[in-house]
């Protein structure tokens, strides 16, 4: 992290069988001395593919920051993706983050015009995202 001496590790395991894919995510952050952002997080995700459609879901849970009670959060994301051809896909997603009383997790770092999204502690945030992706070969 460029602003302090924090370090983190993220491990991801994915498995695919037939028309399904599932995954597990684990992340730990050690903020170093004099900082309270040390915490662990984990999650599960899955996708179910039918033809050119993929239905996806993910749940992420962040534990409390070290030394800060009620500072965890839970995120749920649901989406549908449609493959238009080998390179182009479109998607629609919904996500919600439920913050504990002292947590300020967001859905993303910035919003329109580069304004920072900063919910008040304990406030939940949600978003709908519609877009497309192009895979460069």
């Amino acid at each position: 992290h460029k602003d302090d001496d924090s370090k983190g590790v993220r491990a991801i395991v994915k498995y695919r069988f037939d028309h399904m894919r599932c995954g597990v995510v684990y992340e730990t952050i050690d903020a170093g001395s004099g900082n309270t952002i040390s915490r662990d997080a984990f999650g599960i995700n899955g996708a179910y593919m039918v033809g050119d459609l993929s239905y996806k879901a993910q749940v992420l849970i962040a534990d409390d920051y070290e030394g800060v009670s009620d500072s965890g959060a839970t995120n749920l994301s649901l989406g549908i993706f449609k493959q238009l051809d080998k390179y182009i896909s479109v998607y629609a997603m919904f996500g919600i983050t439920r913050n504990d009383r002292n947590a300020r997790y967001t859905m993303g770092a910035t919003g329109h015009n580069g304004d920072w999204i900063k919910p008040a502690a304990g406030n939940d945030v949600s978003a709908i995202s519609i877009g497309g992706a192009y895979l460069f070969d």
Side-chain angles (χ1 to χ4, degrees), residues 3-20:
D3 296 330
D4 57 39
D5 63 345
S6 62
K7 294 175 179 43
V9 173
R10 179 178 292 158
I12 300 169
V13 176
K14 290 183 179 181
Y15 182 75
R16 184 176 180 154
F17 51 98
D18 292 330
H19 299 284
M20 296 187 71

PDB file of all heavy atoms in Angstrom, residues 3-20:
ATOM      1  N   ASP A   3       0.473   4.359   0.910  1.00  0.00           N
ATOM      2  CA  ASP A   3       0.382   5.388   1.943  1.00  0.00           C
ATOM      3  C   ASP A   3       0.909   4.955   3.309  1.00  0.00           C
ATOM      4  O   ASP A   3       1.032   5.777   4.206  1.00  0.00           O
ATOM      5  CB  ASP A   3      -1.062   5.858   2.089  1.00  0.00           C
ATOM      6  CG  ASP A   3      -1.576   6.537   0.833  1.00  0.00           C
ATOM      7  OD1 ASP A   3      -0.754   7.138   0.115  1.00  0.00           O
ATOM      8  OD2 ASP A   3      -2.782   6.455   0.565  1.00  0.00           O
ATOM      9  N   ASP A   4       1.192   3.684   3.506  1.00  0.00           N
ATOM     10  CA  ASP A   4       1.704   3.209   4.799  1.00  0.00           C
ATOM     11  C   ASP A   4       2.437   1.889   4.579  1.00  0.00           C
ATOM     12  O   ASP A   4       2.671   1.489   3.456  1.00  0.00           O
ATOM     13  CB  ASP A   4       0.566   3.073   5.823  1.00  0.00           C
ATOM     14  CG  ASP A   4      -0.548   2.151   5.343  1.00  0.00           C
ATOM     15  OD1 ASP A   4      -0.245   1.122   4.715  1.00  0.00           O
ATOM     16  OD2 ASP A   4      -1.718   2.457   5.597  1.00  0.00           O
ATOM     17  N   ASP A   5       2.782   1.211   5.670  1.00  0.00           N
ATOM     18  CA  ASP A   5       3.544  -0.037   5.536  1.00  0.00           C
ATOM     19  C   ASP A   5       2.663  -1.287   5.621  1.00  0.00           C
ATOM     20  O   ASP A   5       3.135  -2.352   5.969  1.00  0.00           O
ATOM     21  CB  ASP A   5       4.661  -0.083   6.578  1.00  0.00           C
ATOM     22  CG  ASP A   5       4.138  -0.093   8.011  1.00  0.00           C
ATOM     23  OD1 ASP A   5       2.948   0.216   8.219  1.00  0.00           O
ATOM     24  OD2 ASP A   5       4.930  -0.396   8.914  1.00  0.00           O
ATOM     25  N   SER A   6       1.381  -1.161   5.263  1.00  0.00           N
ATOM     26  CA  SER A   6       0.503  -2.326   5.317  1.00  0.00           C
ATOM     27  C   SER A   6       0.834  -3.319   4.209  1.00  0.00           C
ATOM     28  O   SER A   6       1.331  -2.955   3.150  1.00  0.00           O
ATOM     29  CB  SER A   6      -0.972  -1.892   5.223  1.00  0.00           C
ATOM     30  OG  SER A   6      -1.236  -1.260   4.002  1.00  0.00           O
ATOM     31  N   LYS A   7       0.547  -4.588   4.508  1.00  0.00           N
ATOM     32  CA  LYS A   7       0.791  -5.671   3.561  1.00  0.00           C
ATOM     33  C   LYS A   7      -0.411  -6.602   3.584  1.00  0.00           C
ATOM     34  O   LYS A   7      -1.065  -6.748   4.602  1.00  0.00           O
ATOM     35  CB  LYS A   7       2.049  -6.430   3.941  1.00  0.00           C
ATOM     36  CG  LYS A   7       3.319  -5.605   3.805  1.00  0.00           C
ATOM     37  CD  LYS A   7       4.518  -6.364   4.296  1.00  0.00           C
ATOM     38  CE  LYS A   7       5.801  -5.599   4.149  1.00  0.00           C
ATOM     39  NZ  LYS A   7       5.779  -4.210   4.497  1.00  0.00           N
ATOM     40  N   GLY A   8      -0.691  -7.224   2.466  1.00  0.00           N
ATOM     41  CA  GLY A   8      -1.834  -8.112   2.401  1.00  0.00           C
ATOM     42  C   GLY A   8      -1.567  -9.325   1.536  1.00  0.00           C
ATOM     43  O   GLY A   8      -0.647  -9.327   0.711  1.00  0.00           O
ATOM     44  N   VAL A   9      -2.380 -10.340   1.741  1.00  0.00           N
ATOM     45  CA  VAL A   9      -2.315 -11.559   0.950  1.00  0.00           C
ATOM     46  C   VAL A   9      -3.748 -11.937   0.585  1.00  0.00           C
ATOM     47  O   VAL A   9      -4.648 -11.881   1.425  1.00  0.00           O
ATOM     48  CB  VAL A   9      -1.670 -12.719   1.741  1.00  0.00           C
ATOM     49  CG1 VAL A   9      -1.763 -14.013   0.958  1.00  0.00           C
ATOM     50  CG2 VAL A   9      -0.241 -12.393   2.095  1.00  0.00           C
ATOM     51  N   ARG A  10      -3.953 -12.321  -0.680  1.00  0.00           N
ATOM     52  CA  ARG A  10      -5.257 -12.794  -1.134  1.00  0.00           C
ATOM     53  C   ARG A  10      -5.051 -14.143  -1.813  1.00  0.00           C
ATOM     54  O   ARG A  10      -4.216 -14.276  -2.696  1.00  0.00           O
ATOM     55  CB  ARG A  10      -5.878 -11.813  -2.116  1.00  0.00           C
ATOM     56  CG  ARG A  10      -7.236 -12.282  -2.620  1.00  0.00           C
ATOM     57  CD  ARG A  10      -7.867 -11.281  -3.544  1.00  0.00           C
ATOM     58  NE  ARG A  10      -8.209 -10.096  -2.784  1.00  0.00           N
ATOM     59  CZ  ARG A  10      -8.373  -8.896  -3.330  1.00  0.00           C
ATOM     60  NH1 ARG A  10      -8.216  -8.726  -4.619  1.00  0.00           N
ATOM     61  NH2 ARG A  10      -8.689  -7.871  -2.569  1.00  0.00           N
ATOM     62  N   ALA A  11      -5.822 -15.129  -1.387  1.00  0.00           N
ATOM     63  CA  ALA A  11      -5.772 -16.463  -1.988  1.00  0.00           C
ATOM     64  C   ALA A  11      -7.144 -16.783  -2.568  1.00  0.00           C
ATOM     65  O   ALA A  11      -8.167 -16.540  -1.923  1.00  0.00           O
ATOM     66  CB  ALA A  11      -5.391 -17.501  -0.946  1.00  0.00           C
ATOM     67  N   ILE A  12      -7.141 -17.318  -3.786  1.00  0.00           N
ATOM     68  CA  ILE A  12      -8.383 -17.638  -4.478  1.00  0.00           C
ATOM     69  C   ILE A  12      -8.285 -19.064  -5.016  1.00  0.00           C
ATOM     70  O   ILE A  12      -7.289 -19.433  -5.613  1.00  0.00           O
ATOM     71  CB  ILE A  12      -8.620 -16.665  -5.648  1.00  0.00           C
ATOM     72  CG1 ILE A  12      -8.704 -15.229  -5.128  1.00  0.00           C
ATOM     73  CG2 ILE A  12      -9.873 -17.042  -6.423  1.00  0.00           C
ATOM     74  CD1 ILE A  12      -8.681 -14.188  -6.217  1.00  0.00           C
ATOM     75  N   VAL A  13      -9.336 -19.844  -4.811  1.00  0.00           N
ATOM     76  CA  VAL A  13      -9.420 -21.188  -5.359  1.00  0.00           C
ATOM     77  C   VAL A  13     -10.708 -21.267  -6.165  1.00  0.00           C
ATOM     78  O   VAL A  13     -11.775 -20.879  -5.675  1.00  0.00           O
ATOM     79  CB  VAL A  13      -9.429 -22.255  -4.243  1.00  0.00           C
ATOM     80  CG1 VAL A  13      -9.625 -23.640  -4.834  1.00  0.00           C
ATOM     81  CG2 VAL A  13      -8.167 -22.188  -3.413  1.00  0.00           C
ATOM     82  N   LYS A  14     -10.600 -21.735  -7.417  1.00  0.00           N
ATOM     83  CA  LYS A  14     -11.769 -21.893  -8.277  1.00  0.00           C
ATOM     84  C   LYS A  14     -11.856 -23.332  -8.747  1.00  0.00           C
ATOM     85  O   LYS A  14     -10.844 -23.982  -8.963  1.00  0.00           O
ATOM     86  CB  LYS A  14     -11.673 -20.983  -9.503  1.00  0.00           C
ATOM     87  CG  LYS A  14     -11.815 -19.522  -9.205  1.00  0.00           C
ATOM     88  CD  LYS A  14     -11.779 -18.727 -10.501  1.00  0.00           C
ATOM     89  CE  LYS A  14     -11.940 -17.257 -10.245  1.00  0.00           C
ATOM     90  NZ  LYS A  14     -11.931 -16.482 -11.501  1.00  0.00           N
ATOM     91  N   TYR A  15     -13.086 -23.788  -8.939  1.00  0.00           N
ATOM     92  CA  TYR A  15     -13.312 -25.127  -9.455  1.00  0.00           C
ATOM     93  C   TYR A  15     -14.476 -25.068 -10.437  1.00  0.00           C
ATOM     94  O   TYR A  15     -15.498 -24.436 -10.169  1.00  0.00           O
ATOM     95  CB  TYR A  15     -13.630 -26.104  -8.317  1.00  0.00           C
ATOM     96  CG  TYR A  15     -13.829 -27.517  -8.795  1.00  0.00           C
ATOM     97  CD1 TYR A  15     -12.751 -28.289  -9.175  1.00  0.00           C
ATOM     98  CD2 TYR A  15     -15.100 -28.060  -8.877  1.00  0.00           C
ATOM     99  CE1 TYR A  15     -12.926 -29.585  -9.634  1.00  0.00           C
ATOM    100  CE2 TYR A  15     -15.289 -29.354  -9.322  1.00  0.00           C
ATOM    101  CZ  TYR A  15     -14.192 -30.113  -9.699  1.00  0.00           C
ATOM    102  OH  TYR A  15     -14.374 -31.398 -10.157  1.00  0.00           O
ATOM    103  N   ARG A  16     -14.322 -25.714 -11.572  1.00  0.00           N
ATOM    104  CA  ARG A  16     -15.375 -25.729 -12.586  1.00  0.00           C
ATOM    105  C   ARG A  16     -15.770 -27.162 -12.896  1.00  0.00           C
ATOM    106  O   ARG A  16     -14.918 -28.033 -13.076  1.00  0.00           O
ATOM    107  CB  ARG A  16     -14.897 -25.046 -13.860  1.00  0.00           C
ATOM    108  CG  ARG A  16     -15.993 -24.960 -14.898  1.00  0.00           C
ATOM    109  CD  ARG A  16     -15.536 -24.190 -16.107  1.00  0.00           C
ATOM    110  NE  ARG A  16     -16.631 -24.143 -17.061  1.00  0.00           N
ATOM    111  CZ  ARG A  16     -16.797 -23.220 -17.958  1.00  0.00           C
ATOM    112  NH1 ARG A  16     -15.906 -22.258 -18.058  1.00  0.00           N
ATOM    113  NH2 ARG A  16     -17.799 -23.250 -18.780  1.00  0.00           N
ATOM    114  N   PHE A  17     -17.067 -27.390 -12.956  1.00  0.00           N
ATOM    115  CA  PHE A  17     -17.586 -28.693 -13.349  1.00  0.00           C
ATOM    116  C   PHE A  17     -18.888 -28.468 -14.117  1.00  0.00           C
ATOM    117  O   PHE A  17     -19.694 -27.624 -13.753  1.00  0.00           O
ATOM    118  CB  PHE A  17     -17.816 -29.602 -12.141  1.00  0.00           C
ATOM    119  CG  PHE A  17     -18.606 -28.993 -11.045  1.00  0.00           C
ATOM    120  CD1 PHE A  17     -19.962 -29.236 -10.929  1.00  0.00           C
ATOM    121  CD2 PHE A  17     -18.001 -28.164 -10.114  1.00  0.00           C
ATOM    122  CE1 PHE A  17     -20.694 -28.668  -9.897  1.00  0.00           C
ATOM    123  CE2 PHE A  17     -18.726 -27.589  -9.081  1.00  0.00           C
ATOM    124  CZ  PHE A  17     -20.081 -27.842  -8.975  1.00  0.00           C
ATOM    125  N   ASP A  18     -19.018 -29.189 -15.218  1.00  0.00           N
ATOM    126  CA  ASP A  18     -20.178 -29.063 -16.098  1.00  0.00           C
ATOM    127  C   ASP A  18     -20.495 -27.591 -16.379  1.00  0.00           C
ATOM    128  O   ASP A  18     -19.667 -26.883 -16.901  1.00  0.00           O
ATOM    129  CB  ASP A  18     -21.393 -29.795 -15.524  1.00  0.00           C
ATOM    130  CG  ASP A  18     -21.196 -31.306 -15.519  1.00  0.00           C
ATOM    131  OD1 ASP A  18     -20.480 -31.813 -16.404  1.00  0.00           O
ATOM    132  OD2 ASP A  18     -21.751 -31.963 -14.617  1.00  0.00           O
ATOM    133  N   HIS A  19     -21.686 -27.163 -15.978  1.00  0.00           N
ATOM    134  CA  HIS A  19     -22.136 -25.791 -16.249  1.00  0.00           C
ATOM    135  C   HIS A  19     -21.995 -24.883 -15.042  1.00  0.00           C
ATOM    136  O   HIS A  19     -22.592 -23.805 -15.013  1.00  0.00           O
ATOM    137  CB  HIS A  19     -23.600 -25.801 -16.691  1.00  0.00           C
ATOM    138  CG  HIS A  19     -23.815 -26.580 -17.946  1.00  0.00           C
ATOM    139  ND1 HIS A  19     -23.463 -26.096 -19.176  1.00  0.00           N
ATOM    140  CD2 HIS A  19     -24.333 -27.811 -18.155  1.00  0.00           C
ATOM    141  CE1 HIS A  19     -23.758 -26.987 -20.092  1.00  0.00           C
ATOM    142  NE2 HIS A  19     -24.282 -28.055 -19.502  1.00  0.00           N
ATOM    143  N   MET A  20     -21.226 -25.306 -14.060  1.00  0.00           N
ATOM    144  CA  MET A  20     -21.093 -24.507 -12.840  1.00  0.00           C
ATOM    145  C   MET A  20     -19.634 -24.209 -12.540  1.00  0.00           C
ATOM    146  O   MET A  20     -18.749 -24.969 -12.903  1.00  0.00           O
ATOM    147  CB  MET A  20     -21.721 -25.232 -11.657  1.00  0.00           C
ATOM    148  CG  MET A  20     -23.205 -25.420 -11.793  1.00  0.00           C
ATOM    149  SD  MET A  20     -23.931 -26.102 -10.303  1.00  0.00           S
ATOM    150  CE  MET A  20     -23.798 -24.723  -9.208  1.00  0.00           C
TER     151      MET A  20
END
